[in-house]
Amino acid sequence: MTVEDAILALVAAFVVAALATPLTSRLARAVGAVDRPRDRGLAAGGTPLLGGLAMLAAVLVAGLLFLDFGGILGDRLHGILAGAVVIALVGALDDRFDLHPAVKLLGQIGAASVPVAAGVEVTNITFPFLGAVDFGSAGAPLTVVGLVAVMNVVNLSDGIDGLAAGVCAIAAAAFAIIAFDLQRDHAGVLAAITCGAALGFLVHNFHPASAFMGDCGSNLLGLLLGCVAVEGAVKTQAILALLFPLVVLAVPFLDTTFVVLKRLKYRRPIYAADTNHFHHRFSAIGFSQRRTVLYLYAWTVCLAGFAVALRFVPYSDNGGSFDPGWTAVMAGLGLLVLAASVYLVYTLEILKFRVTLRRRTGRAAADVDAEVARAMETGEFQALRADDGPSGPRTPSA
């Protein structure tokens, strides 16, 4: 398998997903798998789900055409595709029948166990300055836990048109580059297929979306990205192998971590939807859905680019010696990514909220600062409308 195979596989997956999505939308409407307004989403409801089935079709078709199923790698690839089918079906049932969270979790564990049983398993990790750490018999269950975590991270981030599909496409592209550089060609092609499937679906999912991927799609992308990370980087001997997926998927990981901590703080169920996600916060300060998702894409690109740079910039000889010049370059890139992250998390959410509130309501600075402090404590920003005036939000006349 070569880079050319990966490019062709990406194109094939893109075409299949783009063509199949309208068909899955018709199926969704026929069986009643239609989105209902939820607290964690910004959609009004009524959009067909099951877009994940179109991505599954794209992955299976492109996989059969461009993946090499010979030898021991073939067993692992068969396991990944089988697990993909299982989680897509579990997600489709959830989209239609709204399964209990415990049932969904069991389905995720079952789907993750399929590729792990086929050999998609992390047995050891190489840490900088510490060397290899062997997990032994704990490798398999730890890998299952990791795959389930990635599935839920992607699932929880899917609350605005185009966000999950775009972020996963960017992440998959970064994983493909890293995997090929680590000579994990099978993982590189699988990552390219995942990227193509997400982009093909994004044709119909970018705002205003005509189709949603549903839990069917978000869990599918999460499982595929998790398997790609394991096969393409984590189970290699690369010193920064574990860091690559954490940096590439930092945006959904940070979003999920923040939301879960908020729910734990206020003693709410972890699985209960709320309005504490990044996209809700951007909406609360007046961002449109398109602007919100483009900012989050840009953040993901910055982090993914930094992860790729960690692999390609020769700042170290992997033996403990660092090149001063290239190390300075990496430090500079790291500071730029950190600055972009601070800008998005702090400036856009806090400072812009303060300025917007003062401008639109005409309230005193002290009152606004108190409101911002309250919002920071609770994590709940009151949405601002363009017609808000000095006396506060207008109410409709009777």
Side-chain angles (χ1 to χ4, degrees):
M1 289 179 282
T2 64
V3 174
E4 289 75 16
D5 291 328
I7 295 173
L8 291 174
L10 186 154
V11 173
F14 174 88
V15 171
V16 173
L19 294 177
T21 298
L23 300 179
T24 60
S25 294
R26 293 180 186 177
L27 173 64
R29 293 190 185 281
V31 302
V34 178
D35 178 64
R36 297 176 297 278
R38 288 181 282 183
D39 289 338
R40 77 161 183 250
L42 295 178
T47 306
L49 301 169
L50 301 184
L53 293 180
M55 290 190 285
L56 175 65
V59 170
L60 294 178
V61 170
L64 292 174
L65 290 174
F66 295 99
L67 290 173
D68 184 358
F69 293 96
I72 189 171
L73 289 180
D75 293 337
R76 299 209 292 268
L77 290 172
H78 277 117
I80 293 172
L81 295 184
V85 172
V86 172
I87 196 58
L89 293 178
V90 171
L93 290 173
D94 183 38
D95 289 336
R96 174 59 184 87
F97 299 106
D98 196 16
L99 302 177
H100 189 278
V103 176
K104 289 191 286 187
L105 180 59
L106 288 175
Q108 291 174 331
I109 293 173
S113 299
V114 176
V116 171
V120 182
E121 174 186 353
V122 180
T123 56
N124 63 77
I125 290 290
T126 302
F127 291 99
F129 310 111
L130 297 178
V133 176
D134 197 322
F135 294 136
S137 59
L142 286 175
T143 305
V144 170
V145 170
L147 294 178
V148 170
V150 177
M151 281 188 266
N152 282 290
V153 162
V154 176
N155 179 249
L156 287 172
S157 69
D158 182 28
I160 183 174
D161 293 356
L163 179 57
V167 167
C168 288
I170 295 168
F175 282 144
I177 295 171
I178 293 170
F180 273 109
D181 186 60
L182 290 170
Q183 299 181 344
R184 296 280 174 153
D185 296 356
H186 67 293
V189 174
L190 182 61
I193 291 172
T194 304
C195 178
L199 289 175
F201 174 72
L202 189 58
V203 171
H204 305 278
N205 186 236
F206 196 73
H207 185 74
S210 61
F212 289 163
M213 66 174 67
D215 283 7
C216 172
S218 59
N219 281 286
L220 171 66
L221 289 177
L223 178 66
L224 290 172
L225 287 176
C227 290
V228 164
V230 170
E231 286 294 301
V234 180
K235 69 188 299 181
T236 68
Q237 298 301 314
I239 292 179
L240 297 177
L242 184 60
L243 189 61
F244 295 138
L246 294 179
V247 174
V248 171
L249 293 171
V251 172
F253 268 121
L254 288 172
D255 183 37
T256 299
T257 300
F258 178 83
V259 168
V260 169
L261 289 177
K262 278 291 183 182
R263 293 173 187 175
L264 290 175
K265 178 180 179 180
Y266 293 102
R267 298 181 180 180
R268 301 168 183 163
I270 292 177
Y271 53 83
D274 57 30
T275 57
N276 285 322
H277 291 275
F278 288 153
H279 52 268
H280 290 117
R281 290 167 173 265
F282 288 137
S283 175
I285 60 175
F287 276 35
S288 67
Q289 287 204 44
R290 287 194 176 193
R291 188 178 181 188
T292 294
V293 79
L294 289 175
Y295 268 79
L296 292 174
Y297 285 173
W299 191 10
T300 304
V301 168
C302 288
L303 291 162
F306 183 67
V308 172
L310 284 172
R311 181 61 194 168
F312 284 90
V313 175
Y315 61 91
S316 170
D317 62 359
N318 294 327
S321 299
F322 293 87
D323 179 276
W326 285 116
T327 300
V329 170
M330 286 305 303
L333 289 175
L335 289 175
L336 286 175
V337 172
L338 179 61
S341 301
V342 170
Y343 174 75
L344 283 167
V345 174
Y346 183 74
T347 304
L348 294 182
E349 293 194 40
I350 310 306
L351 297 184
K352 188 173 178 64
F353 177 77
R354 181 185 289 116
V355 171
T356 303
L357 192 62
R358 289 179 61 181
R359 185 180 70 248
R360 295 188 182 179
T361 66
R363 293 164 57 184
D367 292 339
V368 171
D369 288 341
E371 172 68 13
V372 172
R374 183 201 65 78
M376 282 295 295
E377 173 61 25
T378 63
E380 297 175 353
F381 290 82
Q382 181 181 359
L384 297 174
R385 298 194 309 272
D387 59 351
D388 289 348
S391 61
R394 298 179 183 175
T395 55
S397 57

